[in-house]
Structure formats: C-alpha cells, structure tokens
Amino acid sequence: MKNPTGHDIADALGLLLRRSTRARVYTRLTEGLGEAVDELTYPVLSGLARTGPYSAADLGREIGLDRTTVTRRADRLEQAGLLRRQPDPADGRATLLALTDDGRTAVEATRQRLATGIEESLATWPQADAQAFARLLRRFVDEGPFAAGQD
Amino acid sequence: MKNPTGHDIADALGLLLRRSTRARVYTRLTEGLGEAVDELTYPVLSGLARTGPYSAADLGREIGLDRTTVTRRADRLEQAGLLRRQPDPADGRATLLALTDDGRTAVEATRQRLATGIEESLATWPQADAQAFARLLRRFVDEGPFAAGQD
DNA sequence: GGAAAAGCGTGCGCCGAGCACGCTAATCTG
DNA sequence: CAGATTAGCGTGCTCGGCGCACGCTTTTCC
C-alpha cells in the first residue's frame, strides 16, 4: 500500500472513539466520586470548570446539549452539593450555575486520575518518545479533522 | 510542574473522548450512507466486518451491547439491505448476522473517509513526524490505559 | 429419552433527550 | 415612559433506545 499511515492512525483513533472505550474511561475516572457524577453529569462539571459560573443556556451551547438537559443534570449535581445555583446579579432572569468547592475537587480529581494513568503507561517509554508523542498528539488534535469541540 | 506530559496528553485525549466529538465524527463519516447507518448501527456493521458472520449474542459480547439491542439494530440494517440473516448450518437455534455486499461497501467507505481525513491533515507534516506519530499512537493505544476494547 | 441449557425475537418498563408551554424579567420602540 | 417583544428559566409531555423477562425452539447433557 502506498500510504498506510492514515489507516494505521484511523485504526487507533477508531478504538479511542468507541462507545465502550468512552464508557470504560468515564467509569474508571469518576469512580468513588458519588453516584451523581457519571458519564452524563461530568461534562457539566467539566464545562463549568472551564467557563466559570455560567447560565444553563450558555453552558448548553458550550458543551453541545439542550438547555433543558443541562438543567436536569445540574439538578442532580446540585442535590449532591457539587454545584450551586445563584442569581445572576447582572440579569434578574438568569440563574448562574457555579461549582462548589466539592465540585471543583471532583473535577480536579478526575483530571488527575487521567493524567496519572497516562503517565504510568508512559513510564516505560524513552523520555524522548513520550515528549514527542505529547507534542504530536497535541498538534494533531488542534489542527486535525476533529478540531473545534464542545461537550 | 514536574511532569507536564501527562496533563498535556490528558487534555488532548479528553477532547477526543467527548461526546460531541464522537457525534461529529460519526455524522461526517456515515453521511450519505442511508439513514439506517448512524452512530447506533455502525458499530454493528463494523463489528461484523471484523468477525465475519456472527450470532447476535456473540456480537453483543464482542461490542459490549445487550443481545436484544444488537437484534434491533440489526433489524434496521437488514431492512436497509446492509445485513442479512442466515440460519447457522451448525446450530438450528442460531441465526447468523452477515454483511451483504452493500454492508461491506458501507464499512469500507466509512473507514476510507476517516483515513483520508487523517491523511489530509497530516499532509503538511514532515513525513518523519507523521510516521513517528502513527507509531507512537499505535503503541499508546495498544498498551495504554484504554487497551482492550469493544464496540 | 427426558431435563437442563442456549439461542432467538418481542412485550414491557425505565430513563434520558428535546419540544412546547407558562411565567418572569429585561430590552426595544413609538 | 408604557406597551410589546425578546430572552431566560423550570417543568409536563412524548418519543426513542435499552435491558429484563417471557415464551418458544433446538441442542446438549446425563
């Protein structure tokens, strides 16, 4: 074959994009954070960590979900104490969703777990390979065919 | 920070794992293949392409879905002519799901689209970088924290 | 040869998602 | 500045996918 590189990468990416892969990773990363945090609610937490206090409608646009879906996921997170609703001081109609300290901790723990898992699997790699991989993956994701994301 | 590599990779992978990324990729790759092929039914097609003719129960185990879910997705694909049911000659109870020629074509087209998209985005890369990326990504996926997949 | 097990499709209940509604508050307009 | 329009919110409702449980047929086991 003339250029097998594309197919090689496609195979690997195909695996990463699988539903079961996603489910497995989410399950592992959110384990023990309370049953309110799962594959469905985590994107709301994570989104808020990126944006800061945000309205349900804006957050929905940000992460590619319907406004009402965000509202209901936020309900669960609020009840679990990971998220707080507060009136927008600048707009009497709006309600801002904001992470609590527990919420921030949960997001941070999840991210740390992922990073740790990656580092562990890279531990046996030559350092040059690991650094090259990080650099190339970053570039690929930024400019590649999947760029510009939500959720 | 001592070892930022893990976090760098984590950020990039986080993006790839997002629901919206997955949805966008699937939509683009299965566009025009008929409305029977979507994010839900494609894994069945793709799984069958890997396994060859297979029972619903076995395929379900393979791709991490309930047997009945496979059956119903197969119904749609069968109606669209991408899949065929045939009695298992070795077992009178079993029904084998098998791709038709159209089904094989659809899977092949999808894979080709993904590979092409990747190659296009790599076109501007130094060839050595592209090859290194393919090699490192493959290794990472095989031995990394996400290894062993279904779906 | 009879009982247990394995395969299949389908009815049923559950849950998540989006639409539509009613309400309140802000913004626009004449 | 008052009325109308727009924007934001939560919730009732419907639709669709999923898994469990059932009934049936065929195979396997003792």
Short mmCIF file of all heavy atoms in Angstrom, two decimals, chain B residues 54-67 70:
data_model
loop_
_atom_site.label_atom_id
_atom_site.label_comp_id
_atom_site.label_asym_id
_atom_site.label_seq_id
_atom_site.Cartn_x
_atom_site.Cartn_y
_atom_site.Cartn_z
N TYR B 54 -21.84 -13.78 12.38
CA TYR B 54 -21.76 -13.94 13.83
C TYR B 54 -23.16 -13.91 14.40
O TYR B 54 -24.05 -13.25 13.84
CB TYR B 54 -20.95 -12.77 14.39
CG TYR B 54 -19.87 -13.15 15.37
CD1 TYR B 54 -19.04 -14.23 15.13
CD2 TYR B 54 -19.66 -12.40 16.53
CE1 TYR B 54 -18.04 -14.57 16.03
CE2 TYR B 54 -18.66 -12.73 17.43
CZ TYR B 54 -17.85 -13.82 17.17
OH TYR B 54 -16.86 -14.15 18.06
N SER B 55 -23.37 -14.58 15.49
CA SER B 55 -24.68 -14.54 16.13
C SER B 55 -24.84 -13.23 16.89
O SER B 55 -23.86 -12.58 17.27
CB SER B 55 -24.82 -15.70 17.09
OG SER B 55 -24.09 -15.43 18.27
N ALA B 56 -26.10 -12.85 17.11
CA ALA B 56 -26.38 -11.60 17.82
C ALA B 56 -25.77 -11.63 19.21
O ALA B 56 -25.20 -10.64 19.68
CB ALA B 56 -27.89 -11.37 17.90
N ALA B 57 -25.87 -12.76 19.87
CA ALA B 57 -25.34 -12.86 21.24
C ALA B 57 -23.82 -12.69 21.25
O ALA B 57 -23.27 -11.93 22.05
CB ALA B 57 -25.73 -14.20 21.84
N ASP B 58 -23.16 -13.39 20.35
CA ASP B 58 -21.70 -13.28 20.30
C ASP B 58 -21.27 -11.87 19.94
O ASP B 58 -20.34 -11.32 20.53
CB ASP B 58 -21.13 -14.28 19.29
CG ASP B 58 -21.19 -15.70 19.81
OD1 ASP B 58 -21.33 -15.87 21.05
OD2 ASP B 58 -21.10 -16.64 18.99
N LEU B 59 -21.96 -11.29 18.96
CA LEU B 59 -21.61 -9.94 18.55
C LEU B 59 -21.84 -8.96 19.70
O LEU B 59 -21.06 -8.03 19.90
CB LEU B 59 -22.43 -9.53 17.32
CG LEU B 59 -22.06 -8.18 16.70
CD1 LEU B 59 -20.60 -8.15 16.28
CD2 LEU B 59 -22.96 -7.86 15.51
N GLY B 60 -22.92 -9.19 20.42
CA GLY B 60 -23.18 -8.34 21.58
C GLY B 60 -22.03 -8.38 22.57
O GLY B 60 -21.56 -7.34 23.05
N ARG B 61 -21.56 -9.55 22.86
CA ARG B 61 -20.40 -9.66 23.76
C ARG B 61 -19.20 -8.94 23.17
O ARG B 61 -18.47 -8.22 23.86
CB ARG B 61 -20.07 -11.13 24.00
CG ARG B 61 -20.90 -11.75 25.12
CD ARG B 61 -20.42 -13.18 25.42
NE ARG B 61 -20.89 -14.14 24.43
CZ ARG B 61 -22.08 -14.76 24.50
NH1 ARG B 61 -22.88 -14.50 25.51
NH2 ARG B 61 -22.44 -15.60 23.57
N GLU B 62 -19.02 -9.11 21.90
CA GLU B 62 -17.86 -8.51 21.22
C GLU B 62 -17.86 -6.99 21.32
O GLU B 62 -16.84 -6.38 21.59
CB GLU B 62 -17.86 -8.95 19.75
CG GLU B 62 -16.88 -8.23 18.85
CD GLU B 62 -15.47 -8.78 18.99
OE1 GLU B 62 -15.31 -9.87 19.55
OE2 GLU B 62 -14.53 -8.08 18.53
N ILE B 63 -19.01 -6.39 21.08
CA ILE B 63 -19.04 -4.94 21.04
C ILE B 63 -19.66 -4.32 22.28
O ILE B 63 -19.90 -3.11 22.33
CB ILE B 63 -19.79 -4.43 19.78
CG1 ILE B 63 -21.26 -4.82 19.82
CG2 ILE B 63 -19.12 -4.95 18.53
CD1 ILE B 63 -22.03 -4.38 18.58
N GLY B 64 -19.93 -5.14 23.30
CA GLY B 64 -20.37 -4.59 24.57
C GLY B 64 -21.79 -4.07 24.58
O GLY B 64 -22.08 -3.04 25.16
N LEU B 65 -22.67 -4.79 23.92
CA LEU B 65 -24.08 -4.40 23.90
C LEU B 65 -24.94 -5.57 24.29
O LEU B 65 -24.55 -6.74 24.12
CB LEU B 65 -24.49 -3.92 22.50
CG LEU B 65 -23.86 -2.62 22.01
CD1 LEU B 65 -24.24 -2.37 20.56
CD2 LEU B 65 -24.30 -1.47 22.89
N ASP B 66 -26.12 -5.28 24.75
CA ASP B 66 -27.06 -6.33 25.04
C ASP B 66 -27.48 -7.03 23.75
O ASP B 66 -27.59 -6.41 22.69
CB ASP B 66 -28.28 -5.74 25.75
CG ASP B 66 -29.21 -6.83 26.24
OD1 ASP B 66 -29.00 -7.32 27.35
OD2 ASP B 66 -30.14 -7.20 25.48
N ARG B 67 -27.69 -8.32 23.89
CA ARG B 67 -28.12 -9.13 22.75
C ARG B 67 -29.33 -8.53 22.04
O ARG B 67 -29.39 -8.47 20.80
CB ARG B 67 -28.45 -10.51 23.29
CG ARG B 67 -29.06 -11.49 22.36
CD ARG B 67 -29.35 -12.78 23.11
NE ARG B 67 -30.40 -12.61 24.11
CZ ARG B 67 -31.71 -12.66 23.84
NH1 ARG B 67 -32.11 -12.87 22.59
NH2 ARG B 67 -32.59 -12.52 24.78
N VAL B 70 -28.56 -5.52 19.92
CA VAL B 70 -27.97 -5.92 18.63
C VAL B 70 -29.06 -6.37 17.68
O VAL B 70 -29.10 -5.97 16.51
CB VAL B 70 -26.93 -7.03 18.84
CG1 VAL B 70 -26.45 -7.56 17.49
CG2 VAL B 70 -25.77 -6.53 19.66
#
